[in-house]
Amino acid sequence: DGSKLYVLTGGAAGSLRVLDPANAHQQVRSIAVGGYPYAMDVSGHRILVSRKTGNSVMLIDTTAWGSPSVYAVDAEPCGVGIGSNRFFAACVGAAKLSSYTFSGVWQQSIPILASSKMIAMSQGRDTIYLCEGTQISAFLASDLSWLGTANTDCEDVDRAGRYLYVSDPNNLRVRVYLPAPSGNIIGHVKDINVGSVSRDLCALPDGSRVFSANGTAGSVSEINTTTNAVVDTITVGAPVDAVAVTP
């Protein structure tokens, strides 16, 4: 419903900050997630955080905000995604994309490029989009079968409405692609200049806005997906590694 904005800050004292977009983005909660968290995904009452240097992920239940669950995964998890009945981790140290049950039990792995970073899930949680450094690849969530690839520098990717949004930190921009209904990536549409290193992206549930976490700039850019233009810049103050909104 877009009622909360989740911001993951990195460093030795990483935290998940919960902000209220309807009240000048006031912080309403902060959760310690340990040293050097890398990325997160949000679905329903679950928030999944990767802890790259700890070779683990943290699963947070927002229903009661109780103690998070921590699960060991393969080496150096970067991008993570939540499916309908499992979660996914792109573990670059092992060059694997793996799936796990919500109790942390390994299910399946496929090889990926060691330069891989972030994951995004389609709105129906049936397609995985993975940034592999020099390309975006799409996989079917049910069995990790490959659906297609587009060549571009990328660190993160998110789906909003008709479009796929890709962060290109090397060129300080967010790139827009059009995916097919099957999940395959079929064409480049536009580039959006955010004026800083775009590290992570998230979209509102209705697809009307995409937010870009702008790394060491300590800001979040708000993109209107109708015009594909930046309409606001939110100053956070600390380096911004990841951003998500309530589904």
PDB file of all heavy atoms in Angstrom, residues 158-190:
ATOM      1  N   ASP A 158      14.303  -3.742 -11.325  1.00  0.00           N
ATOM      2  CA  ASP A 158      12.977  -3.853 -10.723  1.00  0.00           C
ATOM      3  C   ASP A 158      11.929  -3.743 -11.816  1.00  0.00           C
ATOM      4  O   ASP A 158      12.151  -3.106 -12.854  1.00  0.00           O
ATOM      5  CB  ASP A 158      12.746  -2.776  -9.658  1.00  0.00           C
ATOM      6  CG  ASP A 158      11.721  -3.214  -8.616  1.00  0.00           C
ATOM      7  OD1 ASP A 158      11.070  -4.252  -8.819  1.00  0.00           O
ATOM      8  OD2 ASP A 158      11.571  -2.523  -7.598  1.00  0.00           O
ATOM      9  N   ARG A 159      10.771  -4.347 -11.576  1.00  0.00           N
ATOM     10  CA  ARG A 159       9.656  -4.326 -12.524  1.00  0.00           C
ATOM     11  C   ARG A 159       8.601  -3.352 -12.004  1.00  0.00           C
ATOM     12  O   ARG A 159       8.223  -3.387 -10.842  1.00  0.00           O
ATOM     13  CB  ARG A 159       9.065  -5.731 -12.649  1.00  0.00           C
ATOM     14  CG  ARG A 159       7.893  -5.871 -13.611  1.00  0.00           C
ATOM     15  CD  ARG A 159       8.347  -5.947 -15.034  1.00  0.00           C
ATOM     16  NE  ARG A 159       7.211  -6.061 -15.951  1.00  0.00           N
ATOM     17  CZ  ARG A 159       6.780  -7.209 -16.476  1.00  0.00           C
ATOM     18  NH1 ARG A 159       7.376  -8.338 -16.153  1.00  0.00           N
ATOM     19  NH2 ARG A 159       5.765  -7.232 -17.313  1.00  0.00           N
ATOM     20  N   ALA A 160       8.113  -2.447 -12.871  1.00  0.00           N
ATOM     21  CA  ALA A 160       7.051  -1.506 -12.510  1.00  0.00           C
ATOM     22  C   ALA A 160       6.130  -1.343 -13.706  1.00  0.00           C
ATOM     23  O   ALA A 160       6.553  -0.861 -14.759  1.00  0.00           O
ATOM     24  CB  ALA A 160       7.623  -0.152 -12.103  1.00  0.00           C
ATOM     25  N   GLY A 161       4.860  -1.760 -13.536  1.00  0.00           N
ATOM     26  CA  GLY A 161       3.918  -1.652 -14.636  1.00  0.00           C
ATOM     27  C   GLY A 161       4.398  -2.437 -15.847  1.00  0.00           C
ATOM     28  O   GLY A 161       4.763  -3.607 -15.762  1.00  0.00           O
ATOM     29  N   ARG A 162       4.463  -1.776 -16.991  1.00  0.00           N
ATOM     30  CA  ARG A 162       4.882  -2.432 -18.231  1.00  0.00           C
ATOM     31  C   ARG A 162       6.388  -2.604 -18.331  1.00  0.00           C
ATOM     32  O   ARG A 162       6.873  -3.380 -19.153  1.00  0.00           O
ATOM     33  CB  ARG A 162       4.423  -1.597 -19.441  1.00  0.00           C
ATOM     34  CG  ARG A 162       2.933  -1.439 -19.590  1.00  0.00           C
ATOM     35  CD  ARG A 162       2.631  -0.504 -20.761  1.00  0.00           C
ATOM     36  NE  ARG A 162       3.204  -1.016 -22.014  1.00  0.00           N
ATOM     37  CZ  ARG A 162       3.806  -0.262 -22.919  1.00  0.00           C
ATOM     38  NH1 ARG A 162       3.959   1.031 -22.707  1.00  0.00           N
ATOM     39  NH2 ARG A 162       4.274  -0.794 -24.033  1.00  0.00           N
ATOM     40  N   TYR A 163       7.142  -1.856 -17.506  1.00  0.00           N
ATOM     41  CA  TYR A 163       8.571  -1.716 -17.749  1.00  0.00           C
ATOM     42  C   TYR A 163       9.461  -2.422 -16.726  1.00  0.00           C
ATOM     43  O   TYR A 163       9.051  -2.714 -15.598  1.00  0.00           O
ATOM     44  CB  TYR A 163       8.941  -0.235 -17.780  1.00  0.00           C
ATOM     45  CG  TYR A 163       8.256   0.545 -18.867  1.00  0.00           C
ATOM     46  CD1 TYR A 163       7.351   1.561 -18.550  1.00  0.00           C
ATOM     47  CD2 TYR A 163       8.497   0.280 -20.212  1.00  0.00           C
ATOM     48  CE1 TYR A 163       6.706   2.276 -19.546  1.00  0.00           C
ATOM     49  CE2 TYR A 163       7.866   0.990 -21.217  1.00  0.00           C
ATOM     50  CZ  TYR A 163       6.963   1.989 -20.885  1.00  0.00           C
ATOM     51  OH  TYR A 163       6.328   2.697 -21.867  1.00  0.00           O
ATOM     52  N   LEU A 164      10.699  -2.637 -17.153  1.00  0.00           N
ATOM     53  CA  LEU A 164      11.763  -3.152 -16.311  1.00  0.00           C
ATOM     54  C   LEU A 164      12.779  -2.023 -16.146  1.00  0.00           C
ATOM     55  O   LEU A 164      13.241  -1.444 -17.134  1.00  0.00           O
ATOM     56  CB  LEU A 164      12.411  -4.345 -17.009  1.00  0.00           C
ATOM     57  CG  LEU A 164      13.238  -5.331 -16.190  1.00  0.00           C
ATOM     58  CD1 LEU A 164      12.353  -6.018 -15.155  1.00  0.00           C
ATOM     59  CD2 LEU A 164      13.868  -6.363 -17.112  1.00  0.00           C
ATOM     60  N   TYR A 165      13.116  -1.673 -14.884  1.00  0.00           N
ATOM     61  CA  TYR A 165      14.046  -0.577 -14.602  1.00  0.00           C
ATOM     62  C   TYR A 165      15.372  -1.156 -14.117  1.00  0.00           C
ATOM     63  O   TYR A 165      15.396  -2.010 -13.232  1.00  0.00           O
ATOM     64  CB  TYR A 165      13.451   0.373 -13.556  1.00  0.00           C
ATOM     65  CG  TYR A 165      12.279   1.153 -14.101  1.00  0.00           C
ATOM     66  CD1 TYR A 165      11.004   0.603 -14.125  1.00  0.00           C
ATOM     67  CD2 TYR A 165      12.448   2.431 -14.628  1.00  0.00           C
ATOM     68  CE1 TYR A 165       9.927   1.300 -14.656  1.00  0.00           C
ATOM     69  CE2 TYR A 165      11.374   3.148 -15.155  1.00  0.00           C
ATOM     70  CZ  TYR A 165      10.123   2.572 -15.166  1.00  0.00           C
ATOM     71  OH  TYR A 165       9.064   3.269 -15.705  1.00  0.00           O
ATOM     72  N   VAL A 166      16.477  -0.678 -14.705  1.00  0.00           N
ATOM     73  CA  VAL A 166      17.805  -1.232 -14.444  1.00  0.00           C
ATOM     74  C   VAL A 166      18.741  -0.109 -14.010  1.00  0.00           C
ATOM     75  O   VAL A 166      18.853   0.909 -14.703  1.00  0.00           O
ATOM     76  CB  VAL A 166      18.368  -1.916 -15.707  1.00  0.00           C
ATOM     77  CG1 VAL A 166      19.784  -2.436 -15.453  1.00  0.00           C
ATOM     78  CG2 VAL A 166      17.456  -3.043 -16.165  1.00  0.00           C
ATOM     79  N   SER A 167      19.406  -0.279 -12.858  1.00  0.00           N
ATOM     80  CA  SER A 167      20.382   0.722 -12.425  1.00  0.00           C
ATOM     81  C   SER A 167      21.698   0.501 -13.156  1.00  0.00           C
ATOM     82  O   SER A 167      22.186  -0.622 -13.258  1.00  0.00           O
ATOM     83  CB  SER A 167      20.604   0.654 -10.908  1.00  0.00           C
ATOM     84  OG  SER A 167      21.221  -0.568 -10.556  1.00  0.00           O
ATOM     85  N   ASP A 168      22.258   1.596 -13.672  1.00  0.00           N
ATOM     86  CA  ASP A 168      23.540   1.568 -14.388  1.00  0.00           C
ATOM     87  C   ASP A 168      24.489   2.518 -13.660  1.00  0.00           C
ATOM     88  O   ASP A 168      24.617   3.690 -14.017  1.00  0.00           O
ATOM     89  CB  ASP A 168      23.322   2.005 -15.839  1.00  0.00           C
ATOM     90  CG  ASP A 168      24.607   2.025 -16.653  1.00  0.00           C
ATOM     91  OD1 ASP A 168      25.670   1.694 -16.102  1.00  0.00           O
ATOM     92  OD2 ASP A 168      24.540   2.383 -17.846  1.00  0.00           O
ATOM     93  N   PRO A 169      25.161   2.053 -12.580  1.00  0.00           N
ATOM     94  CA  PRO A 169      25.979   2.949 -11.756  1.00  0.00           C
ATOM     95  C   PRO A 169      27.179   3.530 -12.493  1.00  0.00           C
ATOM     96  O   PRO A 169      27.626   4.631 -12.163  1.00  0.00           O
ATOM     97  CB  PRO A 169      26.428   2.057 -10.596  1.00  0.00           C
ATOM     98  CG  PRO A 169      26.342   0.668 -11.129  1.00  0.00           C
ATOM     99  CD  PRO A 169      25.192   0.670 -12.084  1.00  0.00           C
ATOM    100  N   ASN A 170      27.684   2.824 -13.483  1.00  0.00           N
ATOM    101  CA  ASN A 170      28.845   3.323 -14.214  1.00  0.00           C
ATOM    102  C   ASN A 170      28.529   4.584 -15.015  1.00  0.00           C
ATOM    103  O   ASN A 170      29.426   5.383 -15.313  1.00  0.00           O
ATOM    104  CB  ASN A 170      29.387   2.237 -15.156  1.00  0.00           C
ATOM    105  CG  ASN A 170      29.949   1.051 -14.405  1.00  0.00           C
ATOM    106  OD1 ASN A 170      30.476   1.193 -13.316  1.00  0.00           O
ATOM    107  ND2 ASN A 170      29.808  -0.133 -14.971  1.00  0.00           N
ATOM    108  N   ASN A 171      27.265   4.764 -15.371  1.00  0.00           N
ATOM    109  CA  ASN A 171      26.859   5.913 -16.186  1.00  0.00           C
ATOM    110  C   ASN A 171      25.838   6.812 -15.478  1.00  0.00           C
ATOM    111  O   ASN A 171      25.201   7.652 -16.119  1.00  0.00           O
ATOM    112  CB  ASN A 171      26.297   5.429 -17.521  1.00  0.00           C
ATOM    113  CG  ASN A 171      27.342   4.708 -18.354  1.00  0.00           C
ATOM    114  OD1 ASN A 171      28.253   5.329 -18.872  1.00  0.00           O
ATOM    115  ND2 ASN A 171      27.224   3.385 -18.454  1.00  0.00           N
ATOM    116  N   LEU A 172      25.673   6.633 -14.133  1.00  0.00           N
ATOM    117  CA  LEU A 172      24.825   7.492 -13.295  1.00  0.00           C
ATOM    118  C   LEU A 172      23.403   7.584 -13.834  1.00  0.00           C
ATOM    119  O   LEU A 172      22.793   8.652 -13.864  1.00  0.00           O
ATOM    120  CB  LEU A 172      25.435   8.905 -13.180  1.00  0.00           C
ATOM    121  CG  LEU A 172      26.919   8.989 -12.799  1.00  0.00           C
ATOM    122  CD1 LEU A 172      27.336  10.445 -12.654  1.00  0.00           C
ATOM    123  CD2 LEU A 172      27.204   8.222 -11.527  1.00  0.00           C
ATOM    124  N   ARG A 173      22.836   6.462 -14.212  1.00  0.00           N
ATOM    125  CA  ARG A 173      21.515   6.482 -14.822  1.00  0.00           C
ATOM    126  C   ARG A 173      20.707   5.241 -14.459  1.00  0.00           C
ATOM    127  O   ARG A 173      21.251   4.239 -13.978  1.00  0.00           O
ATOM    128  CB  ARG A 173      21.641   6.581 -16.341  1.00  0.00           C
ATOM    129  CG  ARG A 173      22.326   5.369 -16.980  1.00  0.00           C
ATOM    130  CD  ARG A 173      22.593   5.581 -18.456  1.00  0.00           C
ATOM    131  NE  ARG A 173      23.288   4.428 -19.041  1.00  0.00           N
ATOM    132  CZ  ARG A 173      23.659   4.350 -20.318  1.00  0.00           C
ATOM    133  NH1 ARG A 173      23.419   5.370 -21.134  1.00  0.00           N
ATOM    134  NH2 ARG A 173      24.280   3.267 -20.769  1.00  0.00           N
ATOM    135  N   VAL A 174      19.411   5.326 -14.720  1.00  0.00           N
ATOM    136  CA  VAL A 174      18.510   4.184 -14.632  1.00  0.00           C
ATOM    137  C   VAL A 174      18.011   3.907 -16.049  1.00  0.00           C
ATOM    138  O   VAL A 174      17.527   4.818 -16.733  1.00  0.00           O
ATOM    139  CB  VAL A 174      17.324   4.475 -13.691  1.00  0.00           C
ATOM    140  CG1 VAL A 174      16.317   3.338 -13.735  1.00  0.00           C
ATOM    141  CG2 VAL A 174      17.816   4.693 -12.262  1.00  0.00           C
ATOM    142  N   ARG A 175      18.117   2.669 -16.495  1.00  0.00           N
ATOM    143  CA  ARG A 175      17.723   2.296 -17.848  1.00  0.00           C
ATOM    144  C   ARG A 175      16.354   1.617 -17.823  1.00  0.00           C
ATOM    145  O   ARG A 175      16.018   0.901 -16.879  1.00  0.00           O
ATOM    146  CB  ARG A 175      18.754   1.374 -18.492  1.00  0.00           C
ATOM    147  CG  ARG A 175      20.191   1.852 -18.347  1.00  0.00           C
ATOM    148  CD  ARG A 175      21.111   1.199 -19.343  1.00  0.00           C
ATOM    149  NE  ARG A 175      20.956   1.840 -20.649  1.00  0.00           N
ATOM    150  CZ  ARG A 175      21.530   1.376 -21.770  1.00  0.00           C
ATOM    151  NH1 ARG A 175      22.255   0.270 -21.731  1.00  0.00           N
ATOM    152  NH2 ARG A 175      21.364   2.007 -22.906  1.00  0.00           N
ATOM    153  N   VAL A 176      15.554   1.854 -18.863  1.00  0.00           N
ATOM    154  CA  VAL A 176      14.190   1.340 -18.934  1.00  0.00           C
ATOM    155  C   VAL A 176      14.085   0.342 -20.084  1.00  0.00           C
ATOM    156  O   VAL A 176      14.456   0.653 -21.227  1.00  0.00           O
ATOM    157  CB  VAL A 176      13.176   2.485 -19.139  1.00  0.00           C
ATOM    158  CG1 VAL A 176      11.750   1.946 -19.052  1.00  0.00           C
ATOM    159  CG2 VAL A 176      13.396   3.601 -18.124  1.00  0.00           C
ATOM    160  N   TYR A 177      13.568  -0.861 -19.775  1.00  0.00           N
ATOM    161  CA  TYR A 177      13.372  -1.908 -20.778  1.00  0.00           C
ATOM    162  C   TYR A 177      11.917  -2.361 -20.774  1.00  0.00           C
ATOM    163  O   TYR A 177      11.184  -2.168 -19.787  1.00  0.00           O
ATOM    164  CB  TYR A 177      14.270  -3.119 -20.493  1.00  0.00           C
ATOM    165  CG  TYR A 177      15.731  -2.880 -20.766  1.00  0.00           C
ATOM    166  CD1 TYR A 177      16.539  -2.262 -19.811  1.00  0.00           C
ATOM    167  CD2 TYR A 177      16.309  -3.254 -21.968  1.00  0.00           C
ATOM    168  CE1 TYR A 177      17.887  -2.024 -20.058  1.00  0.00           C
ATOM    169  CE2 TYR A 177      17.658  -3.018 -22.223  1.00  0.00           C
ATOM    170  CZ  TYR A 177      18.432  -2.408 -21.270  1.00  0.00           C
ATOM    171  OH  TYR A 177      19.753  -2.167 -21.521  1.00  0.00           O
ATOM    172  N   LEU A 178      11.499  -3.000 -21.861  1.00  0.00           N
ATOM    173  CA  LEU A 178      10.148  -3.537 -21.980  1.00  0.00           C
ATOM    174  C   LEU A 178      10.216  -5.058 -21.997  1.00  0.00           C
ATOM    175  O   LEU A 178      10.768  -5.640 -22.940  1.00  0.00           O
ATOM    176  CB  LEU A 178       9.490  -3.031 -23.268  1.00  0.00           C
ATOM    177  CG  LEU A 178       8.022  -3.418 -23.490  1.00  0.00           C
ATOM    178  CD1 LEU A 178       7.140  -2.790 -22.414  1.00  0.00           C
ATOM    179  CD2 LEU A 178       7.565  -2.971 -24.876  1.00  0.00           C
ATOM    180  N   PRO A 179       9.705  -5.737 -20.949  1.00  0.00           N
ATOM    181  CA  PRO A 179       9.728  -7.198 -20.943  1.00  0.00           C
ATOM    182  C   PRO A 179       8.477  -7.788 -21.598  1.00  0.00           C
ATOM    183  O   PRO A 179       7.414  -7.165 -21.611  1.00  0.00           O
ATOM    184  CB  PRO A 179       9.771  -7.542 -19.451  1.00  0.00           C
ATOM    185  CG  PRO A 179       9.056  -6.409 -18.798  1.00  0.00           C
ATOM    186  CD  PRO A 179       9.264  -5.186 -19.668  1.00  0.00           C
ATOM    187  N   ALA A 180       8.614  -8.981 -22.137  1.00  0.00           N
ATOM    188  CA  ALA A 180       7.476  -9.697 -22.701  1.00  0.00           C
ATOM    189  C   ALA A 180       6.642 -10.307 -21.578  1.00  0.00           C
ATOM    190  O   ALA A 180       7.129 -10.479 -20.463  1.00  0.00           O
ATOM    191  CB  ALA A 180       7.971 -10.782 -23.650  1.00  0.00           C
ATOM    192  N   PRO A 181       5.372 -10.645 -21.837  1.00  0.00           N
ATOM    193  CA  PRO A 181       4.548 -11.297 -20.800  1.00  0.00           C
ATOM    194  C   PRO A 181       5.181 -12.567 -20.249  1.00  0.00           C
ATOM    195  O   PRO A 181       4.969 -12.932 -19.095  1.00  0.00           O
ATOM    196  CB  PRO A 181       3.247 -11.602 -21.542  1.00  0.00           C
ATOM    197  CG  PRO A 181       3.186 -10.580 -22.630  1.00  0.00           C
ATOM    198  CD  PRO A 181       4.612 -10.369 -23.059  1.00  0.00           C
ATOM    199  N   SER A 182       5.984 -13.255 -21.069  1.00  0.00           N
ATOM    200  CA  SER A 182       6.622 -14.495 -20.630  1.00  0.00           C
ATOM    201  C   SER A 182       7.761 -14.253 -19.650  1.00  0.00           C
ATOM    202  O   SER A 182       8.274 -15.181 -19.042  1.00  0.00           O
ATOM    203  CB  SER A 182       7.178 -15.240 -21.843  1.00  0.00           C
ATOM    204  OG  SER A 182       8.190 -14.469 -22.462  1.00  0.00           O
ATOM    205  N   GLY A 183       8.172 -12.966 -19.494  1.00  0.00           N
ATOM    206  CA  GLY A 183       9.294 -12.649 -18.620  1.00  0.00           C
ATOM    207  C   GLY A 183      10.554 -12.315 -19.383  1.00  0.00           C
ATOM    208  O   GLY A 183      11.481 -11.723 -18.835  1.00  0.00           O
ATOM    209  N   ASN A 184      10.637 -12.687 -20.665  1.00  0.00           N
ATOM    210  CA  ASN A 184      11.815 -12.380 -21.468  1.00  0.00           C
ATOM    211  C   ASN A 184      11.977 -10.867 -21.627  1.00  0.00           C
ATOM    212  O   ASN A 184      11.009 -10.114 -21.610  1.00  0.00           O
ATOM    213  CB  ASN A 184      11.684 -13.048 -22.841  1.00  0.00           C
ATOM    214  CG  ASN A 184      12.974 -13.006 -23.628  1.00  0.00           C
ATOM    215  OD1 ASN A 184      14.018 -12.688 -23.086  1.00  0.00           O
ATOM    216  ND2 ASN A 184      12.889 -13.332 -24.899  1.00  0.00           N
ATOM    217  N   ILE A 185      13.232 -10.395 -21.784  1.00  0.00           N
ATOM    218  CA  ILE A 185      13.540  -8.970 -21.900  1.00  0.00           C
ATOM    219  C   ILE A 185      13.670  -8.635 -23.381  1.00  0.00           C
ATOM    220  O   ILE A 185      14.529  -9.195 -24.073  1.00  0.00           O
ATOM    221  CB  ILE A 185      14.845  -8.641 -21.146  1.00  0.00           C
ATOM    222  CG1 ILE A 185      14.725  -9.115 -19.696  1.00  0.00           C
ATOM    223  CG2 ILE A 185      15.159  -7.164 -21.207  1.00  0.00           C
ATOM    224  CD1 ILE A 185      16.050  -9.317 -19.011  1.00  0.00           C
ATOM    225  N   ILE A 186      12.837  -7.711 -23.904  1.00  0.00           N
ATOM    226  CA  ILE A 186      12.768  -7.587 -25.360  1.00  0.00           C
ATOM    227  C   ILE A 186      13.203  -6.252 -25.942  1.00  0.00           C
ATOM    228  O   ILE A 186      13.378  -6.154 -27.143  1.00  0.00           O
ATOM    229  CB  ILE A 186      11.340  -7.898 -25.871  1.00  0.00           C
ATOM    230  CG1 ILE A 186      10.323  -6.924 -25.282  1.00  0.00           C
ATOM    231  CG2 ILE A 186      10.968  -9.322 -25.589  1.00  0.00           C
ATOM    232  CD1 ILE A 186       8.931  -7.085 -25.853  1.00  0.00           C
ATOM    233  N   GLY A 187      13.405  -5.178 -25.144  1.00  0.00           N
ATOM    234  CA  GLY A 187      13.822  -3.948 -25.798  1.00  0.00           C
ATOM    235  C   GLY A 187      14.125  -2.803 -24.857  1.00  0.00           C
ATOM    236  O   GLY A 187      13.482  -2.652 -23.813  1.00  0.00           O
ATOM    237  N   HIS A 188      15.115  -1.970 -25.228  1.00  0.00           N
ATOM    238  CA  HIS A 188      15.473  -0.778 -24.467  1.00  0.00           C
ATOM    239  C   HIS A 188      14.537   0.358 -24.841  1.00  0.00           C
ATOM    240  O   HIS A 188      14.255   0.596 -26.021  1.00  0.00           O
ATOM    241  CB  HIS A 188      16.924  -0.398 -24.759  1.00  0.00           C
ATOM    242  CG  HIS A 188      17.352   0.888 -24.147  1.00  0.00           C
ATOM    243  ND1 HIS A 188      17.569   2.028 -24.878  1.00  0.00           N
ATOM    244  CD2 HIS A 188      17.579   1.231 -22.856  1.00  0.00           C
ATOM    245  CE1 HIS A 188      17.928   3.012 -24.075  1.00  0.00           C
ATOM    246  NE2 HIS A 188      17.945   2.541 -22.846  1.00  0.00           N
ATOM    247  N   VAL A 189      14.029   1.107 -23.837  1.00  0.00           N
ATOM    248  CA  VAL A 189      13.061   2.171 -24.065  1.00  0.00           C
ATOM    249  C   VAL A 189      13.661   3.554 -23.844  1.00  0.00           C
ATOM    250  O   VAL A 189      13.527   4.453 -24.679  1.00  0.00           O
ATOM    251  CB  VAL A 189      11.828   1.988 -23.138  1.00  0.00           C
ATOM    252  CG1 VAL A 189      10.850   3.148 -23.298  1.00  0.00           C
ATOM    253  CG2 VAL A 189      11.141   0.664 -23.429  1.00  0.00           C
ATOM    254  N   LYS A 190      14.354   3.757 -22.689  1.00  0.00           N
ATOM    255  CA  LYS A 190      14.819   5.097 -22.327  1.00  0.00           C
ATOM    256  C   LYS A 190      15.877   5.009 -21.243  1.00  0.00           C
ATOM    257  O   LYS A 190      15.927   4.026 -20.501  1.00  0.00           O
ATOM    258  CB  LYS A 190      13.628   5.947 -21.840  1.00  0.00           C
ATOM    259  CG  LYS A 190      13.959   7.381 -21.518  1.00  0.00           C
ATOM    260  CD  LYS A 190      12.719   8.159 -21.041  1.00  0.00           C
ATOM    261  CE  LYS A 190      13.068   9.605 -20.716  1.00  0.00           C
ATOM    262  NZ  LYS A 190      11.896  10.374 -20.253  1.00  0.00           N
TER     263      LYS A 190
END
